[in-house]
Amino acid sequence: MFRQAKRRTAGRRNFETSKAASIYQSTPASTKLYSSRLSFYDLPPLEEITLEQFETWAIDRLKVLIEIESCVARGKSLKDTEVVVKPLLLKYLPLTANNGSNVDTSLERKKDHYSHYILRLVFCRTDELRKKFIKNETILFKIRYGLLSPKEQQEFIESYSDKLPWQYIGNEEKLQLFEQLYTATGATIRNTLIVENSADPNFSISNEQLKQHIKTRENFIKLPFEKVPSLVSQRQVYLKAGFAYIPSTLQLSLLSIEFQDLLSRNLLRTFQTLPRLEEDDRILPLLTNLSTNFSNIQYDSASFGTDPSLISDINSQSIITPTINKHYPLCGSHLQKNLILNSHLKYQGRQQLGLFLKGIGLNIDEALKFWSFQFTKGSNTMTMEKFNKEYKYNIRHQYGLEGARTNYKPWDCATILLKPKPSKGEYHGCPYRDLSLDNLVHNLNEMGINNNQDINGIIEDVGKNDYTIACTKVFELTHKQQLEKSSNQAENLHINHPNLYFDRSRQLEKAELKSKGSQPVN
Ligand code: SF4
């Protein structure tokens, strides 16, 4: 896949002797590159990494950013987004604290650093991509800042004293000014705590508990008041001798504004230097691939089938029962419903449904039974001979048993959306894009979604061409109770593949039945 033989190092050699490199090497900031778990990514990476690392590190970061993007589009709060994203961070971009564990923290931090810079190359190209990247990276930054201990937060701020001339007040000063600080900032801190604990309906905090929280958890900084005019005008901070005293709760928004501004400036600079990359024929295809295919990297259909209990009951009979059908995404049920109704599906529909069924675990023998039965049943029957002559090859071809013997994978949403739209008498495609509004609402009602607000939210996503987000919302609404009970928060993953929808739905049912100690019913 990559050209390993031809090394293009002239650019790098130039950089090594460049002014930028000498600034990098001489600045004391280089010594602190990986001292903190968090970063403003203000120093570019200089070491070599392999092309494989280049690609896999970028894809891992992209998986996290895609999930953040999906959470924002589904209107999740920062706290809810954090719950969804945390397991992904642990899996793809862990940042372990330096607490004597055996983990190679500098490698983790290097991956985080390099992957951020690689994605800058991907997302710097248009205004829209830059905005998207800044928004998602800022949320990631906020989540990670919240995961630091108060001591680490303070160390992080102090390590950027050149950018953040923040002055932490000592414990003595805090206790001296405690009543004033409590009066000025108590209400804001209380509101933030209530929002953060909104998932707990019984959460409340007394005045005494709030005072205790401020004494033990809030680290105040003081800044010249003219640096924070909006906080001053909203009377959210205590003012004394020209300084505003700002609690930890409000520091994050100041910090994220700083992060955003810096990233915005740096993305433009990256864009301006991008033409130099045109010379490198190893990296450009990777970047193009990352930007065009990013929506289809999250679900690896090849991994399906690792749980044998989820494919053992898939056969030509069971796939037409509600027990299995209820796990289909709308595209799958729309195709199968029309196949059964018309005893026929045109080519694109056969490909989309056939590969989807292959992905859920239907083997070739059962697939041939299913398709031949559906095509030869009913009044305007096709003979078995005609089916064998004209359609059997097509089904065997999907399973890699004919022609080039390619083991075709089920189509992901991006592939489905790239295919030509269905014409009259065709049923392939994504129903969120291709059905009329009335027909879509009718289908949503059939799936048990009747609340007007829910339906309007889905239609709004469809109007913005966010079909996979509409589908993810439908999944969340139709699996609401199971998701609430699920201990695995990674269940909230964005839907970008019909087989991911099916797979997750069955996993949730399996977990629910296991907790009840029963089996699925037909
Ligand atoms: Fe199918 Fe994807 Fe459309 Fe959902 S978004 S209906 S899974 S194509």
Side-chain angles (χ1 to χ4, degrees), residues 317-328 336 502 505-506 509 520-522:
Q317 295 292 319
S318 69
I319 57 169
I320 50 174
T321 63
T323 314
I324 300 299
N325 287 165
K326 68 182 174 199
H327 302 292
Y328 281 27
Q336 191 164 294
F502 181 87
S505 178
R506 292 208 78 194
E509 182 184 61
V521 263
N522 271 312

Side-chain angles (χ1 to χ4, degrees), residues 329-332 352 411-414 416-417 429-433 467-472 495-499 501:
L330 191 48
C331 53
Q352 186 175 331
W411 291 352
D412 54 67
C413 303
I416 291 169
L417 288 163
C430 172
Y432 295 100
R433 180 194 61 182
Y467 309 115
T468 53
I469 288 174
C471 191
T472 307
I495 299 288
N496 56 11
H497 199 303
N499 290 79
Y501 189 109

